[in-house]
Amino acid sequence: MANIKKGDLVEVITGATQERGGDRGKQGKVIEVLRDQERVVVEGVNFVTKHVRVGQTQRGSKTGGIEQHEAPIHVSNVAIVDPKTKKPTRVGFRNEEVEKDGVKKTVRVRYAKKSGEKL
């Protein structure tokens, strides 16, 4: 089970501060996890400018130009936000027993180390 998953709320913990034009301290949801590269794409963080060649669609409208979108950021540079305190925290795993239809089952669950809440 991975520490960070798609849809998690994370905070950037390294890099330049926001006063200096960086992203440290910004929070956003994980849009995509790139496991093989150990990177995540976070909503509203690490914007890059991309120049796309101008073209035309079937209807004749123009496409392309200068676009901005989120670029991947390394997993070690973000931390999951604790749902209780709204501050960055580490992730732990524990086994919990769940009863479904009269059958007990052990499930591995992620939790925030600071508050102990489930993620």
Side-chain angles (χ1 to χ4, degrees):
M1 189 180 270
N3 285 357
I4 297 177
K5 293 183 172 183
K6 182 178 177 179
D8 284 343
L9 183 65
V10 295
E11 182 173 323
V12 179
I13 56 173
T14 59
T17 58
Q18 292 179 35
E19 294 87 41
R20 293 180 163 233
D23 291 327
R24 189 192 318 161
K26 285 187 182 176
Q27 292 184 355
K29 282 198 172 193
V30 175
I31 299 170
E32 184 181 5
V33 178
L34 307 169
R35 284 187 101 128
D36 53 332
Q37 299 171 4
E38 295 182 351
R39 292 179 176 270
V40 292
V41 179
V42 182
E43 186 177 33
V45 174
N46 197 23
F47 275 103
V48 292
T49 304
K50 190 172 184 182
H51 292 73
V52 180
R53 179 176 290 171
V54 176
Q56 282 188 335
T57 62
Q58 293 288 337
R59 293 183 176 163
S61 62
K62 298 262 185 198
T63 60
I66 299 173
E67 297 177 354
Q68 280 201 330
H69 60 87
E70 294 96 352
I73 185 170
H74 199 271
V75 171
S76 65
N77 297 335
V78 296
I80 288 191
V81 174
D82 193 326
K84 201 173 197 179
T85 63
K86 302 293 185 227
K87 298 215 188 258
T89 184
R90 292 180 306 175
V91 177
F93 296 94
R94 62 179 169 222
N95 294 324
E96 291 185 358
E97 294 224 354
V98 178
E99 189 172 330
K100 189 174 182 182
D101 299 330
V103 179
K104 285 187 178 181
K105 194 175 183 182
T106 305
V107 180
R108 193 170 179 214
V109 177
R110 295 184 308 154
Y111 71 97
K113 290 257 187 171
K114 281 188 180 175
S115 66
E117 291 232 357
K118 266 201 243 183
L119 296 173

